[in-house]
Amino acid sequence: MENRIRKALIDAAPTLFGIELSESSIQFQQTRRDVEGDLTLVVFPFVKILHCSIEDAAQKIKAWVEENIEEISHCNVVGGFLNIVYKDEHWINRLQEIQNSERFGFSKANTKPTVMVEYASPNTNKPLHLGHLRNIFLGASVAEILKAVGHKVVRTQVINDRGIHICKSMLAWEKFSPINDKGERQTPSNTGLKGDKLVGRYYVEFEQALQKEVKIIVTDWQRGNFDNTKESVRDEVIKLQQTKIQKDQKAQDAIDEKIKELAKNQSSILQEAKDMLVKWEARDPQVYLLWTTMNGWVYEGFDQTYSQMGVTFDKLYYESDTYLLGKDQVMDGLKQGIFYQKVDGSVWIDLSADGLDEKLVLRSDGTAVYMTQDIGTAIDRFKDYTDLYGMVYTVGNEQDYHFKVLFLILQKLGYQWANNCFHLSYGMVDLPSGKMKSREGTVVDADDLMAEVIQKAKAMTQERGHLDGLGNLEKENLYRQIGLGGLKYYLLKVDPKKRMLFNPEESIDLTGNTGPFLQYAHARISTLLQKAIYKPQNLSSSAILKEEEKQIIKQLNLFESVLHEASKAYSPAILANYVYDLVKLYNTFYQSVKILSESDRELRQLRLSLSASVRQVLSSILGILGVDAPQRM
RNA sequence: GGUCCCGUAGCUCAGCUGGAUAGAGCAACUGCCUUCUAAGCAGUAGGUCUUUGGUUCGAAUCCAAACGGGAUCACCA
């Protein structure tokens, strides 16, 4: 409709104004809520072109539009704005189209290039936490958005399964695990603990043991005891200790940190972990078996968490599989002169011409760093999927710099697809008490949080008591749907780019802009349609629409463009805000008119059709957000 | 210090490709269940859009600076 009016105006301009109009001079916007109108033409640009008063220009266009465009009922002019009112027939026809369309708003599947979306990159030594929840819900939802606009999508995660941190858990388990009467160390099955939790516990034990050892070493050094310390380190420590005296508090702390670092390197337990990593890289059978076993426990634990979250993947990548490819790439790049080698053997890239710094890509001992692995993983993916067009990395914004560098390196290595790689950078989740810090024990565990939220949903649902006649299994399932739906919606409704505050109390609220609010509307429409035994029929276009009804059709009409906007911005939040507005409009309508008991049959059918269309869009968007849409609640 | 992100109601957030009187939710207060599910609806109150300049017919929105908050600048991942 908008385009039709624009085109008509451009065509008519020479006779109407005696001048050619450019497309950009015709600016439409949505009409303000409190003004009558379905579309608003901004008249200001015409003043310059036509050299007349704003009032004259507006009136002239008003007269012409009312006269010449069939579907327009009338217009009104307020200041520099021409508000155009469509005939009700137009909106009813629009509703009819929505009702008839197969998957309203969605593009045909697989009509756009294949995109891979990565949305979890857990370490295998720590259980998942609140930050992962935002990451994973966000990535999973973006994958659904891309599908909805026609992309073929591969959902993936990369598992950070190698490196010194894994060896730390392994070592601690060997050293510290109690042995039961059967002579076994602790396992998930003999403790009943989730595998990721068990392994995480030993990672913590390692860190504690390390800190203990560090403390002893530092104290020894303070007392001037350097018995077990290499000469070079001793000299460095003494030098640091001496410079410390003249500095201010902040500098002193920094020096203490440095001394601590040196002490860490002296500690026997860290040395053991390093030795273990060397053994692992050499595929030592015993170490390798331990690594496989403990990682297996973690994967099992993660799988449980993912299944509770309702999230799946199409393909998994393990860094242990890709880091060697990354190393090869670096060596190739070195030959091509993209990288350079320092005298100690370490390999670097100089990005200062691109406004960035120098970056290490391979250690002096030839082992891979984070960047090396990521280069390898990216290339591996494009080898696996030959039709792959681009990648979306859902990773926190603390890694903005890393991805800038990564994409630049891939470009320099000559990979065209590097231009289609996108870092979906999301903000951290803060707690009312501040940042989550594992050292201070303020990390919110994913499993605990989900359990809590479901429990809360149960209590609050029972309070309301709408559930007569449902079986226990159905009820439990519903509590889960509501609890998790609320949590997901809470994390997704905020612009992903922004840092957000997680308030445990608000996250399980049922009222206002929340998941359960939307789910409730869905359930209410569902039972309504069921009671009405609703079947889609052709609508009578002669009906006169109430304002509430028209508002809903207008909002429904926006769905497709909002979906595209969301895909361009990689933002489920855009859909969340849109659907919340839609449901609010629907609720207003629901409370102000009769539907089931409406005696006029055509009107009843219209209102049912409206309800059905709202439910369709609502359930589509809830699906994209990963929120379940219950039939009753 | 360099680079990047953010600053809108008491709180959490929309609005940002310039356009009308800046919107929601929570919290507070007032109404509405004999009528399709009140997890709802209607309403009251709450704002120097951090500040100062600039561009423009018009700025929360664009540009610059200042102030405040955060991230990042590892032979960690």
Side-chain angles (χ1 to χ4, degrees):
Chain A
M1 191 67 185
E2 200 177 309
N3 290 332
R4 226 177 310 160
I5 299 174
R6 178 178 284 124
K7 190 171 178 305
L9 267 176
I10 291 172
D11 291 347
T15 44
L16 188 59
F17 306 118
I19 199 167
E20 290 278 343
L21 279 179
S22 67
E23 270 202 36
S24 63
S25 62
I26 302 177
Q27 289 177 29
F28 287 113
Q29 66 185 49
Q30 270 194 275
T31 308
R32 278 177 63 99
R33 275 271 151 79
D34 50 355
V35 175
E36 192 199 13
D38 299 318
L39 185 67
T40 294
L41 178 71
V42 183
V43 190
F44 291 98
F46 290 87
V47 176
K48 263 189 195 161
I49 303 169
L50 303 180
H51 303 290
C52 63
S53 82
I54 191 126
E55 191 63 24
D56 288 350
Q59 289 301 340
K60 208 166 172 184
I61 300 169
K62 171 176 155 43
W64 186 85
V65 164
E66 283 178 343
E67 184 64 30
N68 290 285
I69 297 180
E70 167 62 25
E71 279 175 289
I72 287 173
S73 160
H74 57 279
C75 305
N76 65 74
V77 176
V78 182
F81 301 92
L82 177 69
N83 303 306
I84 301 168
V85 183
Y86 300 165
K87 289 179 181 162
D88 282 357
E89 199 186 331
H90 168 81
W91 291 118
I92 295 171
N93 290 338
R94 195 60 201 119
L95 178 61
Q96 182 76 57
E97 285 165 28
I98 292 169
Q99 182 188 290
N100 293 348
S101 64
E102 190 75 13
R103 293 201 73 193
F104 170 59
F106 285 65
S107 304
K108 225 175 141 206
N110 302 338
T111 50
K112 285 193 185 147
T114 306
V115 175
M116 186 178 270
V117 183
E118 172 193 303
Y119 53 89
S121 33
N123 279 347
T124 51
N125 57 344
K126 280 181 196 160
L128 301 173
H129 58 70
L130 176 57
H132 291 111
L133 291 181
R134 187 180 197 192
N135 178 314
I136 293 167
F137 291 148
L138 174 62
S141 181
V142 165
E144 290 307 311
I145 291 173
L146 294 177
K147 267 191 215 167
V149 298
H151 284 284
K152 204 169 147 192
V153 174
V154 181
R155 297 164 306 169
T156 189
Q157 69 168 320
V158 61
I159 299 157
N160 195 346
D161 62 343
R162 66 165 281 281
I164 186 82
H165 52 286
I166 313 300
C167 294
K168 290 176 179 177
S169 313
M170 285 156 53
L171 186 66
W173 182 77
E174 282 197 322
K175 278 178 114 67
F176 305 131
S177 171
I179 294 179
N180 68 11
D181 42 15
K182 288 184 198 150
E184 302 165 341
R185 290 198 177 86
Q186 289 194 322
T187 66
S189 54
N190 71 19
T191 57
L193 268 177
K194 267 181 90 222
D196 53 330
K197 295 278 157 61
L198 182 69
V199 172
R201 184 185 280 185
Y202 283 105
Y203 183 76
V204 171
E205 275 207 41
F206 176 94
E207 288 299 325
Q208 285 168 348
L210 177 62
Q211 289 307 323
K212 221 162 130 188
E213 225 186 300
V214 164
K215 211 169 171 186
I216 293 170
I217 294 171
V218 170
T219 316
D220 276 351
W221 285 349
Q222 277 166 356
R223 292 186 183 136
N225 176 358
F226 290 95
D227 290 352
N228 301 315
T229 311
K230 261 197 282 177
E231 252 177 58
S232 58
V233 177
R234 186 193 67 191
D235 294 346
E236 204 178 340
V237 172
I238 291 175
K239 211 170 133 194
L240 281 170
Q241 285 173 337
Q242 283 167 348
T243 49
K244 190 179 150 183
I245 300 164
Q246 316 135 15
K247 296 282 171 64
D248 62 9
Q249 189 60 46
K250 219 176 147 186
Q252 284 191 13
D253 290 348
I255 288 171
D256 282 341
E257 272 306 309
K258 265 189 198 160
I259 293 178
K260 254 190 175 169
E261 270 311 304
L262 290 169
K264 261 191 192 176
N265 290 333
Q266 295 296 304
S267 79
S268 60
I269 194 165
L270 188 64
Q271 192 52 52
E272 280 182 75
K274 281 181 180 168
D275 292 345
M276 203 177 222
L277 181 62
V278 173
K279 278 189 182 169
W280 179 87
E281 293 216 354
R283 293 285 200 267
D284 175 282
Q286 222 180 330
V287 171
Y288 213 74
L289 178 66
L290 178 61
W291 176 77
T292 320
T293 309
M294 289 185 74
N295 272 346
W297 296 344
V298 174
Y299 299 151
E300 223 165 275
F302 283 171
D303 281 348
Q304 271 182 46
T305 306
Y306 290 144
S307 118
Q308 178 72 307
M309 290 169 76
V311 164
T312 54
F313 301 94
D314 303 311
K315 170 86 181 161
L316 304 183
Y317 284 89
Y318 299 89
E319 287 192 339
S320 56
D321 291 336
T322 58
Y323 76 104
L324 291 173
L325 177 59
K327 275 162 85 165
D328 292 347
Q329 283 294 320
V330 169
M331 296 323 288
D332 282 356
L334 187 59
K335 274 182 218 146
Q336 292 170 47
I338 297 165
F339 304 120
Y340 67 92
Q341 199 157 25
K342 290 194 176 170
V343 280
D344 62 3
S346 57
V347 180
W348 297 72
I349 186 164
D350 182 4
L351 297 172
S352 52
D354 299 281
L356 305 172
D357 302 318
E358 294 182 348
K359 189 82 189 175
L360 178 89
V361 289
L362 212 57
R363 291 196 190 99
S364 53
D365 63 4
T367 56
V369 290
Y370 184 34
M371 190 60 76
T372 329
Q373 295 170 13
D374 269 7
I375 293 169
T377 309
I379 293 166
D380 208 19
R381 285 167 171 171
F382 281 87
K383 277 187 181 156
D384 284 349
Y385 295 87
T386 48
D387 63 338
L388 198 56
Y389 169 82
M391 283 254 350
V392 176
Y393 290 86
T394 315
V395 181
N397 63 10
E398 71 271 18
Q399 296 197 32
D400 286 354
Y401 185 73
H402 171 80
F403 281 100
K404 243 190 219 169
V405 173
L406 174 65
F407 298 157
L408 202 53
I409 290 178
L410 289 169
Q411 268 174 36
K412 286 184 190 288
L413 285 171
Y415 295 104
Q416 282 297 312
W417 45 256
N419 296 311
N420 308 326
C421 287
F422 177 75
H423 174 206
L424 173 51
S425 159
Y426 66 89
M428 301 210 153
V429 184
D430 283 327
L431 300 172
S433 57
K435 215 177 143 176
M436 281 198 288
K437 283 179 187 154
S438 51
R439 244 181 242 172
E440 290 163 25
T442 53
V443 174
V444 177
D445 179 80
D447 295 316
D448 294 350
L449 180 61
M450 287 193 286
E452 193 183 317
V453 135
I454 292 167
Q455 196 51 44
K456 208 83 182 180
K458 181 176 178 174
M460 292 169 107
T461 303
Q462 284 174 341
E463 226 170 82
R464 283 167 172 85
H466 293 166
L467 298 181
D468 296 342
L470 278 189
N472 275 339
L473 218 67
E474 287 171 294
K475 281 186 188 166
E476 290 300 329
N477 187 39
L478 185 63
Y479 304 145
R480 182 177 165 274
Q481 291 186 332
I482 296 170
L484 287 180
L487 181 61
K488 284 188 195 183
Y489 186 81
Y490 183 82
L491 291 172
L492 289 176
K493 73 176 174 184
V494 182
D495 182 346
K497 291 196 290 286
K498 287 193 178 165
R499 201 184 177 86
M500 69 175 288
L501 188 87
F502 182 84
N503 185 329
E505 256 130 67
E506 282 176 23
S507 70
I508 40 104
D509 256 353
L510 306 179
T511 59
N513 189 359
T514 64
F517 172 89
L518 302 175
Q519 291 175 314
Y520 183 72
H522 184 271
R524 206 159 59 165
I525 299 173
S526 295
T527 44
L528 176 76
L529 294 177
Q530 214 176 356
K531 281 185 185 167
I533 319 176
Y534 168 74
K535 281 203 186 73
Q537 288 169 20
N538 283 337
L539 302 170
S540 148
S541 55
S542 61
I544 293 171
L545 291 175
K546 296 188 72 156
E547 188 54 30
E548 291 92 337
E549 294 161 341
K550 213 160 98 168
Q551 292 289 347
I552 296 171
I553 301 173
K554 279 158 83 169
Q555 182 76 0
L556 286 170
N557 190 40
L558 294 174
F559 178 42
E560 192 170 355
S561 69
V562 170
L563 187 56
H564 279 91
E565 201 189 321
S567 80
K568 278 192 187 129
Y570 298 93
S571 170
I574 291 174
L575 285 172
N577 287 313
Y578 162 80
V579 79
Y580 173 61
D581 285 338
L582 176 67
V583 167
K584 267 197 304 184
L585 288 172
Y586 182 79
N587 284 346
T588 301
F589 157 81
Y590 181 88
Q591 305 262 351
S592 68
V593 302
K594 287 183 201 161
I595 303 173
L596 265 188
S597 49
E598 173 57 54
S599 50
D600 181 329
R601 277 176 54 200
E602 284 182 350
L603 209 51
R604 183 175 185 270
Q605 186 61 29
L606 178 86
R607 288 176 183 164
L608 287 171
S609 167
L610 203 51
S611 303
S613 297
V614 168
R615 184 176 70 159
Q616 206 206 329
V617 169
L618 175 55
S619 93
S620 294
I621 292 180
L622 288 178
I624 288 173
L625 298 177
V627 174
D628 289 309
Q631 296 295 315
R632 49 178 299 198
M633 65 187 275

